[in-house]
Structure formats: C-alpha cells, structure tokens
Amino acid sequence: MTGSTPLDPKLLALLVCPLTKGPLIYDRERSELVSEAAGLAYPIHDGIPIMLPEQARRIG
Amino acid sequence: MASQYGERAADYVTSAVHAQGADLDRIEALAAGRGLGRVLDLGCGGGHVSYRLAPHVTQVVACDVTPPMLRAVEHEAAQRGLTNIATSEAPAERLPFSDGMFDGVFCRFSTHHWTDLEAGLREARRVLAPGGIGVFVDVTAPASAMADSWLQTLELLRDIAHVRDYSVAEWTGALTRSGFAIRPPKAARLRMAFENWVARTRTPEERVAAIRSLQRQAPAEVTQALAIESDGSFTLDVSTFEVEPAG
C-alpha cells in the first residue's frame, strides 16, 4: 500500500516536521518525507503523509 | 483512537448527524465570499467541513489521525469533483504546519477525542494567520456536575475513544489561554437517535446494555438535562465557538 500514489505537490509545499517545524525533503523513491533535523522519515501511504513521529522511521 | 475508527469511516461520510446541521451552514456562511486562501479542517472525520469549505477557498487541508477516514475523504472529494482538498495524517496536538499558514482553522466534533485540548488549541492558534478565523464546534457538557459526569460516562461506554465533552466555561478558559479572542458562543440542541448513535461506533452489546441500564436509573435531574427518552435517545448541547487571534 505504500508508495504507489505520489504526494500532492501543493501539500508537500505546506508540510513541516511536526517536531522541529523545520523543512522536509521528499524522497520519492522510498515515498518518505525526511526531517534531517529530527532524524526521522515520515512515510506516505496512498498519497497521504503520515506525520506521526511514533510511526516515522529513524534515520542515522 | 485511530483503530477505533478504522472500519467505520464510510459510516461517518454518510451519517446525517455529521453531514447536516446549522453549525455546518454557519461554517459555510462564514467562509463564503470572504476570499479565504488556505484553510485547515482539523480532525476532519468524514470530511463534511471540507466539502462545505472547498467551493469557497483556494485550498483545504484536511487532517485526522485515522487513515481510513482520510482515504474515505479523498474518495468522497473525488466523487464530488472537489479537487482542492488534500489530506494528511496528523494529531491536533502536534501539527506538521508552519506558523500562520492558514486563513481559517475549522474543527467540528473532534476536540472530545483529543488527548490534550489546550495543546491542540495552541497549535490551531499557531498555524492561524493574523486576521484569520477559527471555528470550533463540539458537544458541550451541562453546567451541572452530576449531569456532566453522566454524559461523559454514557459517551465513554459508547465509544472508548471518548476523552471529554468540555463545558462552555472550560472552552472559554481554554480558548482564551490559547491566545484566541472569542465571540459569544452559539448553542444548539442535537437529538441523538439511540440505535444510530450506538450503531455508528459499533458499540458492543454489553456496553449498549450498560448504557441502557444507567439511563433507566438516572436521577430526574440527569434525565431532564439530557432529555433521555424511553428508547434511550437523548439530546445534547452543541456549541459553536467563533474565534480570532487575540490582539
């Protein structure tokens, strides 16, 4: 269910990291929104970004 | 709470209690002709606020903590030909948006699920632009402590995702502390037909029986305050709080 629907670019422009309120980078391939400051990658399911830190993937 | 609502998203899209109401008409009237740009439907549920707002604004962002609800909203918006609604899964208490980016924040029948009312209200205030408008609609608790406790108990038995129906006094305090100026709230009475009320949340039989048992033994003050009928139907207060950022 992950990935197939691309993220609405208008929505992408609006979203920030819910923890740091800093910018997000769209990783199209992994279908994730990456917050480098928080060290988290938020998944996108069916085109819907899941902006929950507890469901985000921890990145190095 | 998300799992509580997973299977019943479609019920909320079609529910008459949710799809209609003077409060929805009021929300649409507030938005119409105002030239609002981007607005937030906070705790969108079945998306009824979004569908009303979409024709009057540039863009609606609908957020909720229940992915099936968001997918139902995406589907329904497409059915209705509304192309300016985007959805995101996000809790009210920690919104993934920058300060002041919405001309309006609209929130209907959501706050009673929030784990932290004031954290959510502060976030709503934070993302609202100067000069923006906010509208919060929800069931409000009776002023009587006894009727208040009975209402919360019936609500919790019906839906374990229930947190609290706040009183008008609690609302006023919380909104003020969160940085909002409030207009005099509008109150309405909303009758809940018992069978639909418990069907919508798929309340298990033993808890339906507990609700009926409590209702039958309710003191007169409670029966009167909640207008409890013989079949378990009853009537709630719904309040609409129109706010703006405090100067």
Short mmCIF file of all heavy atoms in Angstrom, two decimals, chain B residues 54-92:
data_model
loop_
_atom_site.label_atom_id
_atom_site.label_comp_id
_atom_site.label_asym_id
_atom_site.label_seq_id
_atom_site.Cartn_x
_atom_site.Cartn_y
_atom_site.Cartn_z
N ALA B 54 -14.65 23.77 0.56
CA ALA B 54 -13.87 23.69 -0.69
C ALA B 54 -14.32 24.67 -1.78
O ALA B 54 -13.46 25.29 -2.43
CB ALA B 54 -13.86 22.24 -1.20
N PRO B 55 -15.64 24.84 -2.01
CA PRO B 55 -16.03 25.76 -3.10
C PRO B 55 -15.70 27.22 -2.81
O PRO B 55 -15.73 28.04 -3.73
CB PRO B 55 -17.56 25.58 -3.18
CG PRO B 55 -17.86 24.29 -2.47
CD PRO B 55 -16.80 24.15 -1.42
N HIS B 56 -15.39 27.56 -1.55
CA HIS B 56 -15.24 28.97 -1.17
C HIS B 56 -13.80 29.38 -0.90
O HIS B 56 -13.55 30.54 -0.58
CB HIS B 56 -16.08 29.27 0.08
CG HIS B 56 -17.52 28.89 -0.07
ND1 HIS B 56 -18.39 29.60 -0.87
CD2 HIS B 56 -18.24 27.86 0.45
CE1 HIS B 56 -19.58 29.03 -0.82
NE2 HIS B 56 -19.52 27.97 -0.03
N VAL B 57 -12.87 28.45 -0.96
CA VAL B 57 -11.49 28.76 -0.58
C VAL B 57 -10.54 28.23 -1.65
O VAL B 57 -10.94 27.45 -2.53
CB VAL B 57 -11.12 28.12 0.78
CG1 VAL B 57 -12.11 28.55 1.86
CG2 VAL B 57 -11.09 26.59 0.70
N THR B 58 -9.27 28.66 -1.56
CA THR B 58 -8.30 28.19 -2.53
C THR B 58 -7.95 26.72 -2.28
O THR B 58 -7.90 25.92 -3.21
CB THR B 58 -7.01 29.03 -2.44
OG1 THR B 58 -7.37 30.40 -2.45
CG2 THR B 58 -6.08 28.72 -3.59
N GLN B 59 -7.69 26.42 -1.02
CA GLN B 59 -7.26 25.06 -0.71
C GLN B 59 -7.69 24.65 0.69
O GLN B 59 -7.62 25.45 1.64
CB GLN B 59 -5.73 24.96 -0.80
CG GLN B 59 -5.23 23.53 -0.65
CD GLN B 59 -3.72 23.44 -0.59
OE1 GLN B 59 -3.04 24.43 -0.35
NE2 GLN B 59 -3.20 22.24 -0.80
N VAL B 60 -8.16 23.40 0.81
CA VAL B 60 -8.48 22.82 2.11
C VAL B 60 -7.44 21.75 2.43
O VAL B 60 -7.16 20.90 1.60
CB VAL B 60 -9.87 22.16 2.12
CG1 VAL B 60 -10.19 21.57 3.50
CG2 VAL B 60 -10.96 23.14 1.69
N VAL B 61 -6.86 21.83 3.62
CA VAL B 61 -6.04 20.73 4.12
C VAL B 61 -6.86 20.05 5.22
O VAL B 61 -7.26 20.70 6.19
CB VAL B 61 -4.69 21.21 4.67
CG1 VAL B 61 -3.90 20.03 5.23
CG2 VAL B 61 -3.89 21.91 3.58
N ALA B 62 -7.14 18.76 5.02
CA ALA B 62 -7.94 18.00 5.99
C ALA B 62 -7.00 17.07 6.74
O ALA B 62 -6.29 16.28 6.13
CB ALA B 62 -9.01 17.20 5.26
N CYS B 63 -6.97 17.18 8.07
CA CYS B 63 -6.13 16.25 8.80
C CYS B 63 -6.92 15.52 9.88
O CYS B 63 -7.93 16.01 10.38
CB CYS B 63 -4.87 16.92 9.34
SG CYS B 63 -5.14 18.04 10.69
N ASP B 64 -6.47 14.32 10.17
CA ASP B 64 -7.12 13.45 11.13
C ASP B 64 -6.07 12.41 11.56
O ASP B 64 -4.99 12.35 10.96
CB ASP B 64 -8.33 12.76 10.46
CG ASP B 64 -9.38 12.33 11.47
OD1 ASP B 64 -9.15 11.35 12.22
OD2 ASP B 64 -10.44 12.98 11.53
N VAL B 65 -6.40 11.62 12.58
CA VAL B 65 -5.44 10.58 12.99
C VAL B 65 -5.86 9.21 12.47
O VAL B 65 -5.28 8.20 12.85
CB VAL B 65 -5.27 10.54 14.52
CG1 VAL B 65 -4.54 11.78 15.01
CG2 VAL B 65 -6.59 10.37 15.24
N THR B 66 -6.88 9.17 11.62
CA THR B 66 -7.42 7.89 11.18
C THR B 66 -7.25 7.72 9.68
O THR B 66 -8.01 8.31 8.90
CB THR B 66 -8.92 7.82 11.53
OG1 THR B 66 -9.08 8.24 12.88
CG2 THR B 66 -9.45 6.43 11.35
N PRO B 67 -6.25 6.94 9.22
CA PRO B 67 -6.00 6.82 7.78
C PRO B 67 -7.22 6.38 6.97
O PRO B 67 -7.46 6.95 5.89
CB PRO B 67 -4.87 5.79 7.70
CG PRO B 67 -4.17 5.89 9.02
CD PRO B 67 -5.25 6.21 10.03
N PRO B 68 -8.03 5.40 7.44
CA PRO B 68 -9.19 5.03 6.60
C PRO B 68 -10.16 6.19 6.41
O PRO B 68 -10.80 6.33 5.37
CB PRO B 68 -9.85 3.89 7.39
CG PRO B 68 -8.78 3.35 8.27
CD PRO B 68 -7.92 4.53 8.62
N MET B 69 -10.26 7.05 7.44
CA MET B 69 -11.12 8.22 7.34
C MET B 69 -10.58 9.15 6.26
O MET B 69 -11.34 9.70 5.46
CB MET B 69 -11.16 8.93 8.71
CG MET B 69 -12.41 9.69 9.01
SD MET B 69 -13.83 8.64 9.34
CE MET B 69 -13.88 8.68 11.12
N LEU B 70 -9.26 9.33 6.23
CA LEU B 70 -8.65 10.21 5.24
C LEU B 70 -8.84 9.66 3.84
O LEU B 70 -9.11 10.42 2.90
CB LEU B 70 -7.16 10.39 5.56
CG LEU B 70 -6.88 11.14 6.88
CD1 LEU B 70 -5.41 11.03 7.25
CD2 LEU B 70 -7.29 12.60 6.76
N ARG B 71 -8.70 8.34 3.70
CA ARG B 71 -8.93 7.75 2.37
C ARG B 71 -10.38 7.92 1.95
O ARG B 71 -10.68 8.18 0.78
CB ARG B 71 -8.52 6.27 2.37
CG ARG B 71 -7.00 6.10 2.29
CD ARG B 71 -6.61 4.67 1.95
NE ARG B 71 -6.89 3.75 3.05
CZ ARG B 71 -6.04 3.54 4.06
NH1 ARG B 71 -4.89 4.14 4.10
NH2 ARG B 71 -6.37 2.70 5.02
N ALA B 72 -11.31 7.80 2.92
CA ALA B 72 -12.73 7.99 2.61
C ALA B 72 -12.99 9.43 2.17
O ALA B 72 -13.78 9.68 1.26
CB ALA B 72 -13.59 7.65 3.84
N VAL B 73 -12.29 10.37 2.79
CA VAL B 73 -12.45 11.78 2.42
C VAL B 73 -11.89 12.02 1.01
O VAL B 73 -12.53 12.70 0.20
CB VAL B 73 -11.76 12.70 3.46
CG1 VAL B 73 -11.71 14.14 2.97
CG2 VAL B 73 -12.47 12.63 4.81
N GLU B 74 -10.73 11.45 0.72
CA GLU B 74 -10.14 11.59 -0.62
C GLU B 74 -11.12 11.05 -1.67
O GLU B 74 -11.35 11.67 -2.71
CB GLU B 74 -8.83 10.79 -0.71
CG GLU B 74 -7.73 11.30 0.21
CD GLU B 74 -6.67 12.11 -0.54
OE1 GLU B 74 -6.67 12.05 -1.77
OE2 GLU B 74 -5.87 12.80 0.13
N HIS B 75 -11.70 9.90 -1.36
CA HIS B 75 -12.63 9.25 -2.30
C HIS B 75 -13.88 10.11 -2.50
O HIS B 75 -14.30 10.38 -3.63
CB HIS B 75 -13.00 7.87 -1.76
CG HIS B 75 -13.99 7.14 -2.58
ND1 HIS B 75 -13.66 6.52 -3.77
CD2 HIS B 75 -15.32 6.95 -2.42
CE1 HIS B 75 -14.74 5.99 -4.29
NE2 HIS B 75 -15.76 6.22 -3.50
N GLU B 76 -14.45 10.57 -1.39
CA GLU B 76 -15.69 11.35 -1.46
C GLU B 76 -15.45 12.69 -2.16
O GLU B 76 -16.29 13.16 -2.95
CB GLU B 76 -16.25 11.55 -0.05
CG GLU B 76 -17.56 12.31 0.02
CD GLU B 76 -18.75 11.56 -0.57
OE1 GLU B 76 -18.63 10.33 -0.78
OE2 GLU B 76 -19.79 12.20 -0.83
N ALA B 77 -14.30 13.32 -1.89
CA ALA B 77 -13.97 14.59 -2.54
C ALA B 77 -13.91 14.40 -4.06
O ALA B 77 -14.43 15.21 -4.83
CB ALA B 77 -12.66 15.14 -2.00
N ALA B 78 -13.28 13.29 -4.48
CA ALA B 78 -13.19 13.00 -5.91
C ALA B 78 -14.58 12.78 -6.51
O ALA B 78 -14.90 13.28 -7.59
CB ALA B 78 -12.31 11.77 -6.15
N GLN B 79 -15.43 12.04 -5.77
CA GLN B 79 -16.81 11.80 -6.22
C GLN B 79 -17.56 13.10 -6.46
O GLN B 79 -18.37 13.22 -7.36
CB GLN B 79 -17.59 10.99 -5.18
CG GLN B 79 -17.10 9.59 -4.97
CD GLN B 79 -17.55 8.67 -6.09
OE1 GLN B 79 -16.75 8.34 -6.95
NE2 GLN B 79 -18.80 8.30 -6.11
N ARG B 80 -17.28 14.07 -5.56
CA ARG B 80 -17.99 15.35 -5.64
C ARG B 80 -17.30 16.33 -6.58
O ARG B 80 -17.73 17.48 -6.69
CB ARG B 80 -18.07 15.98 -4.25
CG ARG B 80 -18.90 15.18 -3.26
CD ARG B 80 -18.90 15.85 -1.90
NE ARG B 80 -19.61 15.05 -0.91
CZ ARG B 80 -20.43 15.56 0.00
NH1 ARG B 80 -20.66 16.85 0.06
NH2 ARG B 80 -21.02 14.78 0.88
N GLY B 81 -16.19 15.93 -7.17
CA GLY B 81 -15.48 16.80 -8.09
C GLY B 81 -14.74 17.93 -7.40
O GLY B 81 -14.49 18.97 -8.00
N LEU B 82 -14.42 17.74 -6.11
CA LEU B 82 -13.68 18.76 -5.37
C LEU B 82 -12.19 18.43 -5.46
O LEU B 82 -11.74 17.42 -4.93
CB LEU B 82 -14.14 18.78 -3.90
CG LEU B 82 -15.63 19.09 -3.69
CD1 LEU B 82 -16.05 18.81 -2.25
CD2 LEU B 82 -15.93 20.54 -4.07
N THR B 83 -11.45 19.29 -6.16
CA THR B 83 -10.05 18.96 -6.44
C THR B 83 -9.07 19.71 -5.53
O THR B 83 -7.86 19.56 -5.68
CB THR B 83 -9.71 19.30 -7.90
OG1 THR B 83 -10.02 20.68 -8.12
CG2 THR B 83 -10.53 18.46 -8.87
N ASN B 84 -9.60 20.54 -4.63
CA ASN B 84 -8.69 21.37 -3.81
C ASN B 84 -8.67 20.93 -2.34
O ASN B 84 -8.48 21.73 -1.45
CB ASN B 84 -9.07 22.85 -3.91
CG ASN B 84 -10.49 23.13 -3.46
OD1 ASN B 84 -11.32 22.22 -3.39
ND2 ASN B 84 -10.78 24.37 -3.12
N ILE B 85 -8.88 19.62 -2.12
CA ILE B 85 -8.79 19.08 -0.76
C ILE B 85 -7.61 18.12 -0.71
O ILE B 85 -7.55 17.16 -1.47
CB ILE B 85 -10.09 18.33 -0.38
CG1 ILE B 85 -11.30 19.27 -0.39
CG2 ILE B 85 -9.94 17.69 1.01
CD1 ILE B 85 -12.64 18.59 -0.13
N ALA B 86 -6.66 18.40 0.18
CA ALA B 86 -5.52 17.49 0.40
C ALA B 86 -5.61 16.96 1.83
O ALA B 86 -6.11 17.65 2.72
CB ALA B 86 -4.20 18.24 0.19
N THR B 87 -5.16 15.74 2.05
CA THR B 87 -5.27 15.15 3.39
C THR B 87 -3.90 14.80 3.95
O THR B 87 -2.96 14.50 3.21
CB THR B 87 -6.12 13.87 3.37
OG1 THR B 87 -5.45 12.88 2.59
CG2 THR B 87 -7.50 14.11 2.79
N SER B 88 -3.81 14.86 5.27
CA SER B 88 -2.58 14.44 5.95
C SER B 88 -2.96 13.83 7.30
O SER B 88 -3.85 14.32 7.98
CB SER B 88 -1.66 15.64 6.16
OG SER B 88 -0.56 15.26 6.96
N GLU B 89 -2.28 12.75 7.66
CA GLU B 89 -2.50 12.18 8.97
C GLU B 89 -1.65 12.94 9.99
O GLU B 89 -0.43 12.98 9.87
CB GLU B 89 -2.12 10.69 8.99
CG GLU B 89 -2.38 10.03 10.33
CD GLU B 89 -2.02 8.55 10.35
OE1 GLU B 89 -1.77 7.97 9.28
OE2 GLU B 89 -1.98 7.99 11.46
N ALA B 90 -2.32 13.57 10.94
CA ALA B 90 -1.59 14.36 11.92
C ALA B 90 -2.47 14.58 13.14
O ALA B 90 -3.67 14.81 13.01
CB ALA B 90 -1.20 15.71 11.33
N PRO B 91 -1.88 14.51 14.34
CA PRO B 91 -2.66 14.79 15.55
C PRO B 91 -2.76 16.29 15.80
O PRO B 91 -1.82 17.04 15.51
CB PRO B 91 -1.84 14.11 16.66
CG PRO B 91 -0.44 14.14 16.16
CD PRO B 91 -0.49 14.14 14.66
N ALA B 92 -3.90 16.74 16.34
CA ALA B 92 -4.13 18.16 16.61
C ALA B 92 -3.04 18.74 17.50
O ALA B 92 -2.65 19.90 17.35
CB ALA B 92 -5.50 18.34 17.26
#
